[in-house]
Structure formats: C-alpha cells, structure tokens
Amino acid sequence: MEALSRPLVSSGSIELSLSGFVWKQIDPFHVWLIYDGVSIVEKTVVGRQETLRQVLDPATSSFTRTMFQVMTGSFADLQSTFLIKPRDEDRQSEWSYELEPRDAAIRRAIGRIILSGDTYLNHIRIEESPGNYTWIELTNQRPVP
C-alpha cells in the first residue's frame, strides 16, 4: 500500500473445495476468511479471544466470489465480469492471463488482475488504486485426496 513505508507481508494457507474456501492468514495476525459459496464469515483470533462476524459488504462479497472463480479456474464465470486476455510477456510461467474489469465501478477499485502458473495457479497480482497492488504467491499446491 502506498501509505505504508514498507510492504505488508502475510502468510497462511488456502483450503479450496468445490463450493468454497477457507483462507487462513496466520502471520502477522490470525484472520480466517471462510467462504461457502454463498456467505462469508471472518474469524479473528487475538490472544485467546476469538471473534466471528458475517461479512455483508457487497464489495468484499464480490471480490471473494471473484477470488473463488480465479482459484478454481472458472473462466466461463469470470468472462461476465472481466475481459480475459492471454499474456505472452511472462516468460517465467507456462501460462499467464490478464483480467480487465468490464464494469466501471469495479475498475475504480481494481485496475486489472494478472494470473500466472504452470500445472497450478502460482501467482495472482491485483492492481488496485494507483501505486497499490496485492501480490499473492501460492506454493505447495496439491489436490485433495
């Protein structure tokens, strides 16, 4: 974020299913985002205090659904919201795509999303307001038995 003197780095894991995901951020603080395909719950843990709250914000809901579609490779669903273009300039990945929002309201928050990977999705770059971006690096992906 442009306002920070250095990047905010977090780590955790994502457990993906056919209907949703659990995004477990464990560092620098414990925050879980639980999406079941319909609703979103945020779980935070500070010390021994655990808080659960349903996320009702429409922008967060839209972003969470988009992230689920990205992680599951649901390009057919994404095409209604994004113009999807292959990217040839990413030489470090087997494939790379740029997602450009079709809707002007979304474009004000997200300029574009760049996806790249090989067998699995490895990198997600979300370019936000001028100078701000989120970089997600996915490692140790494996199918659930």
Side-chain angles (χ1 to χ4, degrees), residues 64-120:
T64 302
R65 275 192 307 278
T66 298
M67 289 305 295
F68 178 69
Q69 292 167 348
V70 163
M71 288 186 289
T72 57
S74 302
F75 275 35
D77 293 333
L78 286 168
Q79 285 181 334
S80 64
T81 309
F82 295 92
L83 174 63
I84 301 172
K85 302 183 280 189
R87 291 172 42 100
D88 295 330
E89 56 269 12
D90 187 350
R91 304 276 183 241
Q92 297 181 356
S93 300
E94 286 184 21
W95 54 265
S96 183
Y97 292 94
E98 179 178 319
L99 284 63
E100 184 180 303
R102 294 181 185 275
D103 182 82
I106 296 173
R107 274 196 307 272
R108 283 193 288 278
I110 298 173
R112 67 181 176 164
I113 300 173
I114 299 171
L115 310 174
S116 60
D118 45 44
T119 303
Y120 296 104

Side-chain angles (χ1 to χ4, degrees), residues 16-20 68 72:
L16 185 63
S17 72
L18 294 175
S19 60
F68 178 69
T72 57

